[in-house]
Amino acid sequence: MEQRTILEHRKPLQWGEQDPNRLKNTPVGMWAWLWQRISALAIIFFLALHLTLTYKPIIQFLLLMSVTFHAVLGLRVILLDFNIINVKYQKALIAGLGATGILMIAIIWTGIY
Amino acid sequence: MVREYEHTKTVSVFRYDPSIRDEGHFDTFEIQIADKRLTTILDVLLKIQKEQDPTLSFRFACRVSMCGSCALVINGKERLACKTVVGDLKEKEITIRPLNHFPIIKDLVVDMDPFFEKYKEAMPYFDPKEDTEEPAVIKPDSKERRDIGLSTECIACGCCVSSCSMVNYHDAYCGPAAINRAFTLLADSRDGLNEQRMSKVLDSCYNCRTELNCTDVCPKEISPTRAIKYIQKQACIEAFRKKEKTPTQEDIRSDAKIPADVEDNSRRRFLKQMTYGLGAATAAVVGGVLASAAVGPTLRKTPKQWIHAGEMEGFPLNRVSTANIQYTNLDGFYKSKKTTPIMIYRKPDINQSVVYSSRCTHLGCTVRWDEGKQIFLCACHGGAFNSDGSVKDGPPPRPLDRYAFKIQDGALFVEVV
Amino acid sequence: MEKLSTDILIIGMGGAAQLAALNAYDANPDLNILIVTKALRGKGGCSRMVQGGFNVVLNQNDSHQKHFADTLKGGQFINNQELARIMVEQATPTIKEMETKYGCFFDRNPDGTIHQKPFAGQSFDRTVHKGDLTGIEIISRTTEQIMKRNIPVLEEHRALELLTDNTGKQVTGALILDMKCGEFKVVESAATLVATGGGPTHYRFFAPGPEKSLDGLGMLYRAGVRMVDMEMLQFHPTGLIVPGSVVAGSLLEEGLRGAGAHLLNSEGERYMKRYDPEKKERATRDVVSRSSFLEMAAGRGYDHGGVHIIASHLGPEFVEKNFPGMCLRCRIFGYDLARKPVPVSPTAHYLMGGAVFDANCQTSLERLFVAGEDSGGVHGANRLGGNGIADSCVFGRLAGKAMAEYLKKNGDKKAETSIGLAEELKARYTEPFNRKDGISPYPLRDQLRELNWNKVGVARNETDLNDGIREIDAISDETKSVGIDGIKAYNLPWNNFIDLLNMIEVSRMVASSALLRKETRGAHFREDYPDQDDQNGLINFFQERGKDGVPVFEQKPVDLKYLKPVDVKKQ
């Protein structure tokens, strides 16, 4: 019998596992996706707060912000899904929609409030 | 010496020894680099291998970014070692790690079998539509060739799969590279497996979260995301094609290896019906809401009712006092018991007395009477009303609303709607 | 040792190997076919690295006769004319099958027909291509077809030796090393195809991928296969110079010169005007390489030891549009191909010589087939750009059909492997692990590369060649003291050691054959015999391993079956 060393594959590394440089190299598209999910959670949270502690300006502002960002990031996916905007402009799209979001927040907050 | 410092690089390399079977760790090497612009990461690895640690393993073949063997995670991003020069990396140190989502054989070498298994799921092979010996005449500026572009130049390096954060959460997801290949075949008018391929990859496409990581890392500058979106769009277009072609005898391929997908038609019909259904439902909901908002108030049938608010003795003269009224409100289909505060400013002349609604005319917060300042204050946005109800300060657009009232048997009744 | 058994064993997974597998399968789907490749599926081999294209007659104004004459003229008439004819004639159906059966899509003319571009040494523009990355299109598509047919592939398994029966006349399979875990396997087969490709990486500058190491030729020679014209080793004139990097020597393809790029020496002179006033840079590869080498030798090279290629006068947009792959590769290293000169040097590229084979791809041993760069004789003294992938694909395709046909007749009687052969070979390959403080194989490999470059390179002479052979033998002796550390799984130094053994084998063949040819012909340039001798030079040099390991040489005049040099001169 010849001697055999038992060899085993290591289980796959997961995304970002043992990867000190991953965070700063995460592409902007991934952030867009992640922030849409985070803003969804934020909406639920602030909506609950809004219903219990009615008419606190700070909560109203945060709610407005979450809703707006959730909306513009959702719009991004729709625009990309239906190929209304070519995928290659996705970074510009995120920047543009982000700016639109901020503008909308500013208008609503100063104009209506 | 500054010069020498510039040319020394610290390189951390992931190590895994299959005979020890541990979790893996990073080894750090110091290497001398003559020219940052002319030294690729592959050179760095070869140098370490040759001069410092001969047991280091990594994979490479063509060294000119044509084979896709040397894909690694270099400084947090998937790149080809042969295509990345040290000068490209902004970071001071170099960290080299194997690709994500693939089992590690040794050090930087991963097992690519899962990649090819998934790749195969998308039927990534050409199957001629017609038996011909002559190459098809297709203009290079035709729509299909412009759509396909250089997407056929994928070298199956696995960068996209490694960068995707969805592939390992969805077993059915065949991954960006496979979908990209499926797309180039779906767009190719010469291919005869469109139907089956579409039904195989369409499900996979919906696992994409539009993160575009794959597009970002592709060393061949192909966009798998574009491919995914193309397939989704194509599926919608096909679902809406007016006449669904019933497959003719020639269309049914007798290739025993690739069984015709029976689900295909029902899937398409389902998709179509769902799209119609959801479209109709959305239209109904949106239309309903808009319509009721537009015509709703004129149709309101709620009768006016007089509600008892308290005995007149309870309201001192020349003062503002608060009372709660309770009544049943019918708003649309929704019947509710409501308790609303009202404010009564009683004057000696009963006809000059006023009953105010406590609802701020700005956004409906409840206002309260400030006895000291002799004004109504709204806590929400700082609106203030004078004692006659007119706006004194802040955002409210109009004076406080008033209720009609009457006095019957020494008791105050207000009219609510 | 694990034992596998199959009908057809295919070693390698480049163009030749894949087309052989596909055609053998299509001829008889019941055959058990096994592909063994040193790299991952479809990723090894030089076919994938083909930039230029595939020479084929498709146009009505072109003819097989013209392509044949060009090939012979390029090869200086020592080609095997029968094989050259087959290549030229079969190239047309091969490329059509690639389009219609395998789904390749080559670049089109504006009217939708296949575009063909000019290449050096051709009387008609007949090179079919896909941008400047033709190999990726061909290999990716054929790899998919292998996947479609479920033909099993052993990835990262390198073949070490061919196994033979007791007589040594029949090949019974191969000894395989699983690189992933370092274990040996024996594959027994009824027919074996060696299609590993050559890949002369035993030079300072080389164009093939560094994982190539002439495994096939080493294996074939040790098994006793007859070799032809091993001195004919092509240098490509424009290998990129990247000092200190492994990328050095990678190609800037011929299309660039075909499109009109110029070569300049350090004095800024367009020196090709002097060497070939008529064709200038569009002369065949042997001529241009030799000219560049002589310029460099005369001290008219740049500091980095090369010359410059300049394409900016063609217009930056034109260059970027037509040669995107090359522009990109130059850009990585800070060179701007479209606007500025780029340093280049001749680089070892292709072995015209190789195993002798016939129209059925059979070699001098029974049950052994060969196709692609491992085979010799098709290209004579110099290969035309674009004929390389044509050779691989055409003969791969024929080999597949021929093997299926062969097994129909001889499939049932399998030969017995000589007993103990596999164990003996295995012991030889694991020997370095027993030497704990042996030397590293890397310095030896580098030494061999320098030696070949200087003594058996572009320009050769008797003294250097004799020196070269002596030094190769010295290196060969030193390999006996190489020691390897670590586990066998994915052990790169060990694989380099095995590479080195094959390189030494081929270096020796090239040098000794070069010594025999006392004239200058094609890629073979002898400083001491600078003229082509058509009276005595139209011969082929054969060699094979003799019984005691000493090579046996033989020479035979070329069979000028279809075309004689005088016929061409008359035209």
Side-chain angles (χ1 to χ4, degrees):
Chain A
M1 250 332 258
E2 54 184 312
Q3 235 186 348
R4 282 173 101 177
T5 336
I6 299 155
L7 304 174
E8 201 172 85
H9 293 179
R10 187 199 184 279
K11 64 178 192 311
L13 281 171
Q14 291 306 306
W15 195 91
E17 185 187 345
Q18 299 210 22
D19 201 351
N21 300 78
R22 174 60 79 177
L23 199 62
K24 50 183 179 220
N25 273 302
T26 304
V28 61
M30 172 113 187
W31 285 122
W33 164 79
L34 200 60
W35 278 108
Q36 205 199 3
R37 308 300 140 132
I38 293 171
S39 63
L41 292 175
I43 289 173
I44 297 171
F45 179 68
F46 291 126
L47 206 59
L49 276 185
H50 172 71
L51 291 174
T52 48
L53 308 166
T54 34
Y55 309 120
K56 291 270 186 277
I58 180 72
I59 291 167
Q60 300 238 296
F61 182 73
L62 289 171
L63 183 61
L64 176 68
M65 215 169 79
S66 328
V67 169
T68 318
F69 274 109
H70 191 72
V72 291
L73 292 173
L75 200 60
R76 160 184 173 269
V77 178
I78 293 170
L79 290 175
L80 292 176
D81 270 355
F82 288 94
N83 214 1
I84 296 164
I85 298 238
N86 195 302
V87 168
K88 66 184 167 193
Y89 303 120
Q90 63 113 355
K91 284 181 186 168
L93 180 65
I94 293 171
L97 286 173
T100 317
I102 292 168
L103 195 70
M104 274 169 66
I105 294 171
I107 291 171
I108 293 170
W109 192 251
T110 54
I112 299 178
Y113 262 43
Chain B
M1 287 196 299
V2 182
R3 206 182 141 73
E4 201 168 283
Y5 170 75
E6 273 181 357
H7 289 216
T8 307
K9 274 270 177 190
T10 309
V11 187
S12 306
V13 183
F14 184 85
R15 303 300 300 270
Y16 168 71
D17 186 334
S19 60
I20 298 175
R21 286 168 278 164
D22 58 349
E23 275 294 287
H25 63 280
F26 280 93
D27 274 354
T28 307
F29 302 94
E30 298 275 328
I31 65 152
Q32 302 292 315
I33 289 171
D35 189 337
K36 283 199 287 187
R37 286 260 21 118
L38 299 180
T39 308
T40 63
I41 296 298
L42 183 60
D43 291 321
V44 168
L45 288 170
L46 285 166
K47 209 171 154 69
I48 294 172
Q49 221 268 332
K50 209 163 148 183
E51 294 167 5
Q52 301 193 25
D53 189 347
T55 62
L56 176 67
S57 300
F58 49 96
R59 183 185 277 146
F60 65 97
C62 78
R63 58 97 159 81
V64 285
S65 53
M66 285 183 180
C67 73
S69 298
C70 61
L72 293 166
V73 179
I74 300 163
N75 282 9
K77 190 179 172 187
E78 285 75 9
R79 308 174 215 240
L80 295 181
C82 66
K83 205 188 156 202
T84 311
V85 289
V86 175
D88 285 349
L89 303 172
K90 281 175 242 113
E91 295 83 359
K92 248 187 171 171
E93 294 186 357
I94 303 171
T95 311
I96 305 172
R97 197 177 148 280
L99 292 183
N100 301 312
H101 312 319
F102 298 113
I104 299 167
I105 297 175
K106 183 168 186 277
D107 298 343
L108 300 173
V109 183
V110 294
D111 182 7
M112 291 294 279
D113 283 353
F115 177 87
F116 289 109
E117 276 161 32
K118 291 276 182 189
Y119 196 70
K120 211 174 162 184
E121 280 174 18
M123 306 175 91
Y125 32 75
F126 177 77
D127 190 90
K129 196 183 264 173
E130 48 200 34
D131 252 346
T132 160
E133 280 184 7
E134 287 305 308
V137 175
I138 297 169
K139 290 186 179 174
D141 55 354
S142 59
K143 187 179 179 301
E144 63 168 288
R145 291 327 298 189
R146 275 187 288 124
D147 278 349
I148 295 170
L150 295 179
S151 293
T152 48
E153 273 174 19
C154 169
I155 52 174
C157 61
C159 279
C160 50
V161 173
S162 170
S163 76
C164 181
S165 60
M166 288 298 137
V167 278
N168 58 331
Y169 295 112
H170 303 278
D171 283 345
Y173 190 21
C174 61
I179 299 183
N180 178 65
R181 179 59 186 139
F183 146 68
T184 57
L185 285 164
L186 286 169
D188 193 332
S189 60
R190 301 173 300 162
D191 187 77
L193 279 180
N194 272 8
E195 303 260 320
Q196 291 100 311
R197 190 174 292 113
M198 181 62 120
S199 61
K200 283 223 167 180
V201 293
L202 189 56
D203 281 348
S204 264
C205 286
Y206 293 112
N207 290 312
C208 173
R209 296 288 181 275
T210 327
E211 293 177 32
L212 294 124
N213 286 356
C214 50
T215 306
D216 226 67
V217 298
C218 179
K220 296 305 261 184
E221 284 162 23
I222 297 166
S223 173
T225 317
R226 178 173 151 260
I228 294 169
K229 299 303 164 202
Y230 177 93
I231 293 174
Q232 290 176 343
K233 188 178 162 191
Q234 205 61 34
C236 289
I237 293 173
E238 278 182 31
F240 276 100
R241 271 205 189 123
K242 285 220 171 104
K243 271 179 201 161
E244 266 185 64
K245 262 207 303 188
T246 40
T248 58
Q249 211 53 40
E250 293 91 66
D251 284 349
I252 300 169
R253 302 196 52 80
S254 54
D255 200 330
K257 287 226 164 68
I258 305 127
D261 200 324
V262 281
E263 274 182 2
D264 187 52
N265 258 331
S266 63
R267 175 194 299 277
R268 194 145 301 172
R269 204 175 307 124
F270 175 74
L271 192 69
K272 185 178 175 177
Q273 287 166 355
M274 276 302 280
T275 318
Y276 278 133
L278 283 177
T282 314
V285 169
V286 173
V289 168
L290 288 177
S292 60
V295 300
T298 59
L299 298 174
R300 192 164 285 174
K301 282 182 199 149
T302 326
K304 290 182 178 179
Q305 42 185 328
W306 289 98
I307 303 295
H308 178 258
E311 299 300 316
M312 283 308 275
E313 287 91 82
F315 308 118
L317 260 181
N318 293 328
R319 293 274 298 272
V320 175
S321 38
T322 312
N324 283 319
I325 52 169
Q326 287 187 337
Y327 61 101
T328 308
N329 183 43
L330 188 73
D331 193 358
F333 308 99
Y334 184 60
K335 208 180 245 184
S336 62
K337 277 223 158 72
K338 260 189 161 175
T339 306
T340 307
I342 55 167
M343 285 170 297
I344 304 110
Y345 191 4
R346 188 170 170 203
K347 296 269 177 74
D349 180 356
I350 199 70
N351 290 327
Q352 281 176 5
S353 299
V354 197
V355 177
Y356 295 112
S357 156
S358 64
R359 227 173 147 264
C360 174
T361 51
H362 173 220
L363 285 170
C365 297
T366 307
V367 298
R368 59 177 183 84
W369 173 248
D370 188 318
E371 188 62 38
K373 292 182 187 149
Q374 290 284 306
I375 50 174
F376 296 100
L377 273 178
C378 173
C380 287
H381 305 105
F385 302 87
N386 293 313
S387 55
D388 61 354
S390 61
V391 179
K392 182 172 190 283
D393 206 357
R398 60 173 200 274
L400 281 176
D401 294 330
R402 300 175 179 204
Y403 287 106
F405 64 94
K406 64 179 182 188
I407 294 160
Q408 238 173 18
D409 306 330
L412 177 70
F413 286 83
V414 294
E415 188 189 41
V416 297
V417 177
Chain C
M1 255 187 294
E2 193 183 338
K3 258 191 190 177
L4 302 168
S5 184
T6 178
D7 295 330
I8 294 178
L9 169 66
I10 294 175
I11 303 171
M13 203 175 176
Q18 299 205 8
L19 281 178
L22 294 176
N23 280 286
Y25 181 92
D26 289 348
N28 181 3
D30 296 329
L31 287 175
N32 285 319
I33 303 170
L34 180 68
I35 300 177
V36 172
T37 170
K38 191 179 178 182
L40 292 174
R41 64 182 67 217
K43 291 185 192 267
C46 295
S47 305
R48 180 175 267 278
M49 294 170 70
V50 168
Q51 299 179 30
F54 190 122
N55 286 352
V56 55
V57 175
L58 290 176
N59 196 296
Q60 288 173 341
N61 301 323
D62 196 6
S63 73
H64 289 135
Q65 191 53 38
K66 280 187 197 166
H67 187 184
F68 180 67
D70 287 343
T71 304
L72 256 51
K73 256 195 277 180
Q76 307 294 348
F77 284 93
I78 59 164
N79 317 48
N80 182 325
Q81 297 204 353
E82 183 62 32
L83 297 175
R85 188 188 60 82
I86 293 175
M87 180 191 80
V88 165
E89 285 175 2
Q90 292 297 312
T92 310
T94 307
I95 204 89
K96 285 182 178 171
E97 269 180 26
M98 291 208 170
E99 273 261 347
T100 57
K101 272 173 80 179
Y102 307 142
C104 293
F105 189 86
F106 298 105
D107 279 2
R108 293 296 204 262
N109 290 315
D111 68 354
T113 53
I114 292 179
H115 178 247
Q116 292 180 287
K117 67 179 176 182
F119 249 32
Q122 292 183 165
S123 54
F124 196 88
D125 297 351
R126 66 168 76 89
T127 307
V128 169
H129 66 107
K130 167 104 182 168
D132 62 350
L133 296 171
T134 315
I136 295 181
E137 179 74 6
I138 293 176
I139 295 301
S140 298
R141 300 299 84 88
T142 45
T143 308
E144 290 159 12
Q145 295 297 321
I146 298 269
M147 215 180 260
K148 180 180 175 185
R149 287 164 176 76
N150 284 320
I151 298 173
V153 180
L154 289 181
E155 291 173 291
E156 298 193 313
H157 281 60
R158 65 183 295 167
L160 298 172
E161 296 289 351
L162 293 170
L163 299 175
T164 48
D165 67 351
N166 287 328
T167 63
K169 290 287 167 215
Q170 287 207 59
V171 172
T172 57
L175 178 70
I176 311 285
L177 168 67
D178 181 350
M179 294 158 71
K180 285 192 258 197
C181 60
E183 274 169 27
F184 291 85
K185 286 178 188 170
V186 170
V187 181
E188 295 200 314
S189 60
T192 306
L193 173 72
V194 177
T196 64
T201 51
H202 55 303
Y203 283 86
R204 183 195 295 165
F205 291 117
F206 54 86
E211 116 279 15
K212 310 286 309 162
S213 54
L214 306 147
D215 290 359
L217 285 165
M219 216 182 313
L220 288 165
Y221 178 74
R222 286 192 295 270
V225 175
R226 200 172 155 85
M227 300 284 171
V228 63
D229 291 339
M230 289 300 290
E231 76 278 15
M232 293 305 175
L233 191 148
Q234 181 174 72
F235 285 84
H236 194 289
T238 50
L240 191 64
I241 295 183
V242 186
S245 172
V246 68
V247 183
S250 66
L251 293 186
L252 296 180
E253 60 114 334
E254 196 153 296
L256 199 60
R257 278 181 298 127
H262 294 167
L263 288 166
L264 305 176
N265 63 18
S266 63
E267 286 162 9
E269 184 203 355
R270 206 180 146 193
Y271 56 86
M272 280 314 295
K273 274 186 181 168
R274 227 179 324 121
Y275 291 95
D276 194 334
E278 193 193 330
K279 295 186 207 126
K280 302 187 192 76
E281 281 85 359
R282 283 187 190 146
T284 47
R285 288 174 178 174
D286 51 342
V287 178
V288 182
S289 288
R290 192 184 310 150
S291 310
S292 299
F293 190 85
L294 290 175
E295 284 300 297
M296 285 151 60
R300 287 191 290 270
Y302 285 86
D303 297 342
H304 42 63
V307 292
H308 277 172
I309 190 165
I310 181 155
S312 55
H313 57 276
L314 304 173
E317 295 80 22
F318 173 83
V319 177
E320 274 167 3
K321 186 175 166 284
N322 286 283
F323 308 105
M326 282 190 276
C327 284
L328 177 73
R329 191 166 338 124
C330 288
R331 214 177 305 125
I332 295 170
F333 299 101
Y335 302 138
D336 187 349
L337 182 64
R339 288 168 196 86
K340 292 207 175 93
V342 172
V344 290
S345 155
T347 176
H349 180 221
Y350 188 89
L351 257 166
M352 275 77 71
V356 176
F357 72 120
D358 64 10
N360 284 324
C361 296
Q362 265 183 287
T363 62
S364 56
L365 296 186
E366 270 291 295
R367 295 178 185 277
L368 182 64
F369 296 75
V370 67
E373 200 181 337
D374 285 327
S375 66
V378 182
H379 305 292
N382 178 49
R383 174 170 76 75
L384 293 184
N387 268 358
I389 185 74
D391 170 9
S392 294
C393 293
V394 166
F395 287 106
R397 175 170 169 269
L398 291 179
K401 292 178 199 275
M403 282 191 290
E405 194 59 34
Y406 178 86
L407 289 181
K408 212 187 255 177
K409 290 180 201 140
N410 310 298
D412 40 336
K413 37 174 189 176
K414 259 191 197 172
E416 289 285 321
T417 309
S418 155
I419 295 159
L421 180 61
E423 272 70 21
E424 186 196 320
L425 292 169
K426 183 188 162 185
R428 197 185 299 165
Y429 279 102
T430 47
E431 219 193 332
F433 284 97
N434 305 332
R435 277 186 290 267
K436 284 300 158 213
D437 32 60
I439 54 170
S440 156
Y442 293 111
L444 293 180
R445 189 191 63 187
D446 293 349
Q447 224 176 310
L448 183 71
R449 282 179 174 164
E450 285 302 310
L451 149 72
N452 275 318
W453 183 257
N454 293 320
K455 307 246 159 107
V456 203
V458 181
R460 302 157 175 179
N461 61 56
E462 189 152 349
T463 336
D464 279 353
L465 287 171
N466 278 321
D467 278 359
I469 294 174
R470 241 191 324 274
E471 286 177 43
I472 292 168
D473 286 338
I475 293 175
S476 177
D477 286 340
E478 278 191 72
T479 57
K480 297 200 174 81
S481 46
V482 166
I484 307 286
D485 269 346
I487 57 170
K488 289 197 183 95
Y490 231 99
N491 191 318
L492 293 186
W494 187 28
N495 277 290
N496 264 299
F497 166 74
I498 300 169
D499 291 351
L500 182 62
L501 295 182
N502 290 321
M503 284 184 195
I504 289 172
E505 209 80 76
V506 176
S507 300
R508 204 185 276 136
M509 279 193 266
V510 173
S512 47
S513 194
L515 205 51
L516 291 178
R517 189 177 286 279
K518 292 186 165 49
E519 59 154 352
T520 291
R521 181 178 295 272
H524 177 67
F525 172 50
R526 285 281 296 256
E527 290 165 324
D528 40 359
Y529 301 97
D531 296 314
Q532 187 164 319
D533 178 5
D534 274 348
Q535 287 300 318
N536 309 309
L538 288 172
I539 41 174
N540 295 123
F541 290 97
F542 296 92
Q543 57 179 310
E544 63 183 82
R545 193 170 190 263
K547 281 217 172 86
D548 42 359
V550 181
V552 180
F553 296 96
E554 197 191 340
Q555 63 184 65
K556 265 193 198 167
V558 181
D559 181 9
L560 299 168
K561 202 168 168 184
Y562 299 106
L563 202 65
K564 293 183 177 61
V566 280
D567 302 337
V568 176
K569 275 176 194 139
K570 260 185 262 165
Q571 292 168 359

